[in-house]
Amino acid sequence: MAKTITFNELRDIKDRLPDGSMHCIADELGINVETVRNYFGGYNYKDGKSCGLHIEPGPNGGIVVLSDTTILERALKMLEEEGDSVPMAEA
């Protein structure tokens, strides 16, 4: 199921993750760490892949439509495990 959030919300989640989280998520999901970074707004498509996100320009960095929320869900779970909750706007 697709999820829509702002680009700034997505970057905030990335910035709040503990050190090493990108590697942990990549290892758990069996994907390249650059693919995880691309999911959070990176653009290294030489080593990583696109992972089902579409960005529309606009306020708050624009709107991001995530067709696959697996990486987002794992990142939010990591934050929850750290005692950090992220309020998400419902889309």
Side-chain angles (χ1 to χ4, degrees):
M1 182 161 139
K3 174 142 186 83
T4 302
I5 64 174
T6 68
F7 183 75
N8 288 353
E9 286 174 313
L10 186 64
R11 293 297 288 189
D12 180 57
I13 292 166
K14 177 211 165 272
D15 292 343
R16 293 165 70 176
L17 288 169
D19 289 341
S21 295
M22 298 292 150
H23 288 280
C24 288
I25 293 170
D27 290 346
E28 287 178 26
L29 300 178
I31 58 178
N32 184 296
V33 69
E34 292 303 327
T35 300
V36 177
R37 289 187 178 117
N38 290 346
Y39 190 87
F40 287 102
Y43 48 89
N44 182 344
Y45 297 104
K46 179 181 174 209
D47 297 322
K49 297 186 182 338
S50 175
C51 30
L53 67 94
H54 176 74
I55 301 173
E56 292 285 334
N60 294 317
I63 299 296
V64 179
V65 179
L66 303 166
S67 60
D68 182 344
T69 60
T70 306
I71 293 172
L72 176 64
E73 289 166 8
R74 184 59 190 115
L76 291 173
K77 184 173 181 183
M78 288 177 120
L79 289 174
E80 183 180 303
E81 290 167 353
E82 292 285 314
D84 188 358
S85 64
V86 178
M88 298 289 297
E90 291 300 317

